[in-house]
Coordinates of all heavy atoms in Angstrom, one line a residue:
P1 N 6.8 3.9 90.2 CA 6.6 4.5 88.9 C 7.4 3.9 87.8 O 8.6 3.5 88.0 CB 7.0 6.0 89.2 CG 7.9 6.0 90.4 CD 7.5 4.8 91.2
L2 N 6.9 3.8 86.7 CA 7.6 3.4 85.5 C 8.7 4.4 85.1 O 8.4 5.6 85.1 CB 6.7 3.1 84.3 CG 5.7 1.9 84.5 CD1 4.7 1.9 83.3 CD2 6.5 0.6 84.6
P3 N 9.8 4.0 84.6 CA 10.8 4.9 84.2 C 10.3 5.6 82.9 O 9.5 5.1 82.1 CB 12.1 4.1 83.9 CG 11.6 2.6 83.7 CD 10.3 2.6 84.5
A4 N 10.8 6.8 82.7 CA 10.5 7.5 81.5 C 11.1 6.9 80.3 O 12.2 6.3 80.3 CB 11.0 8.9 81.6
V5 N 10.3 6.8 79.2 CA 10.8 6.2 77.9 C 11.0 7.3 76.9 O 10.1 8.1 76.7 CB 9.7 5.2 77.4 CG1 10.2 4.6 76.0 CG2 9.5 4.1 78.4
Q6 N 12.2 7.3 76.3 CA 12.5 8.2 75.2 C 13.0 7.5 74.0 O 14.0 6.8 74.1 CB 13.5 9.2 75.8 CG 13.9 10.3 74.7 CD 14.9 11.2 75.2 OE1 15.1 11.4 76.4 NE2 15.7 11.8 74.3
I7 N 12.3 7.6 72.9 CA 12.8 7.0 71.7 C 13.2 8.0 70.8 O 12.5 8.8 70.3 CB 11.6 6.0 71.1 CG1 11.2 5.0 72.1 CG2 12.1 5.4 69.8 CD1 10.0 4.2 71.8
D8 N 14.5 7.9 70.3 CA 15.1 8.9 69.5 C 15.1 8.4 68.1 O 16.2 8.6 67.4 CB 16.5 9.3 70.0 CG 16.5 10.0 71.4 OD1 15.5 10.7 71.6 OD2 17.4 9.8 72.2
A9 N 14.1 7.8 67.6 CA 14.1 7.3 66.2 C 12.7 7.5 65.7 O 11.7 7.6 66.4 CB 14.4 5.8 66.2
D10 N 12.6 7.7 64.3 CA 11.3 7.9 63.7 C 10.7 6.6 63.5 O 11.3 5.5 63.6 CB 11.5 8.7 62.4 CG 12.4 7.9 61.4 OD1 11.8 7.0 60.7 OD2 13.6 8.2 61.4
T11 N 9.4 6.6 63.1 CA 8.6 5.4 62.9 C 9.2 4.5 61.9 O 9.2 3.3 62.1 CB 7.2 5.8 62.5 OG1 6.6 6.6 63.5 CG2 6.3 4.6 62.4
M12 N 9.7 4.9 60.8 CA 10.2 4.1 59.7 C 11.5 3.4 60.2 O 11.7 2.2 59.9 CB 10.5 4.9 58.4 CG 9.2 5.3 57.7 SD 8.0 4.0 57.5 CE 8.9 2.9 56.3
T13 N 12.3 4.0 61.0 CA 13.4 3.4 61.5 C 13.1 2.3 62.5 O 13.7 1.2 62.5 CB 14.4 4.4 62.2 OG1 14.7 5.5 61.4 CG2 15.6 3.8 62.8
L14 N 12.1 2.5 63.3 CA 11.6 1.5 64.2 C 11.0 0.3 63.5 O 11.3 -0.9 63.9 CB 10.6 2.0 65.2 CG 11.2 3.1 66.2 CD1 10.0 3.7 67.0 CD2 12.2 2.5 67.0
I15 N 10.3 0.5 62.4 CA 9.8 -0.6 61.6 C 10.9 -1.3 60.9 O 10.9 -2.6 61.0 CB 8.8 0.0 60.6 CG1 7.5 0.5 61.2 CG2 8.4 -1.1 59.5 CD1 6.6 1.3 60.4
A16 N 11.8 -0.7 60.4 CA 13.0 -1.3 59.8 C 13.8 -2.2 60.8 O 14.1 -3.3 60.5 CB 13.9 -0.3 59.1
A17 N 14.0 -1.6 62.0 CA 14.7 -2.3 63.0 C 13.9 -3.6 63.4 O 14.5 -4.6 63.6 CB 14.9 -1.4 64.2
G18 N 12.7 -3.4 63.5 CA 11.8 -4.6 64.0 C 11.9 -5.7 62.9 O 12.0 -6.9 63.3
L19 N 11.8 -5.4 61.6 CA 11.9 -6.3 60.6 C 13.3 -7.0 60.5 O 13.3 -8.2 60.4 CB 11.5 -5.7 59.2 CG 10.1 -5.2 59.0 CD1 9.9 -4.5 57.8 CD2 9.1 -6.4 59.1
L20 N 14.3 -6.2 60.7 CA 15.6 -6.8 60.8 C 15.8 -7.8 61.9 O 16.4 -8.8 61.8 CB 16.7 -5.7 60.8 CG 16.9 -5.0 59.5 CD1 17.8 -3.8 59.7 CD2 17.5 -5.8 58.4
V21 N 15.2 -7.4 63.1 CA 15.3 -8.3 64.2 C 14.6 -9.6 64.0 O 15.1 -10.7 64.2 CB 14.8 -7.6 65.6 CG1 14.6 -8.6 66.6 CG2 15.7 -6.5 66.0
G22 N 13.4 -9.5 63.4 CA 12.6 -10.7 63.0 C 13.4 -11.5 62.0 O 13.4 -12.8 62.1
L23 N 14.0 -10.9 61.0 CA 14.7 -11.7 60.0 C 16.0 -12.4 60.7 O 16.2 -13.5 60.4 CB 15.2 -10.7 58.9 CG 16.0 -11.3 57.7 CD1 15.1 -12.2 57.0 CD2 16.5 -10.2 56.9
G24 N 16.6 -11.6 61.6 CA 17.7 -12.2 62.4 C 17.3 -13.4 63.2 O 18.1 -14.4 63.3
T25 N 16.2 -13.4 63.8 CA 15.7 -14.5 64.6 C 15.5 -15.8 63.7 O 15.6 -16.9 64.1 CB 14.5 -14.2 65.5 OG1 13.4 -13.8 64.6 CG2 14.7 -13.1 66.4
R26 N 15.0 -15.5 62.5 CA 14.8 -16.6 61.6 C 16.1 -17.2 61.2 O 16.3 -18.4 61.2 CB 14.0 -16.2 60.4 CG 12.6 -15.8 60.6 CD 11.7 -16.9 61.3 NE 11.6 -18.0 60.4 CZ 11.3 -19.2 60.7 NH1 11.0 -19.4 62.0 NH2 11.2 -20.2 59.8

C-alpha cells in the first residue's frame, strides 16, 4: 500500500514553492 500523504499547505503556497524551485533550478 502507498503511504498516506498529508500536505499541510494551501494551494497558493504550493504554487509559490513550485515556482521558487523552478527558479532555483535555472
Side-chain angles (χ1 to χ4, degrees):
L2 292 174
V5 176
Q6 179 180 339
I7 300 173
D8 295 327
D10 59 83
T11 303
M12 290 310 295
T13 301
L14 294 174
I15 290 171
L19 291 172
L20 286 170
V21 168
L23 185 65
T25 61
R26 294 300 298 161

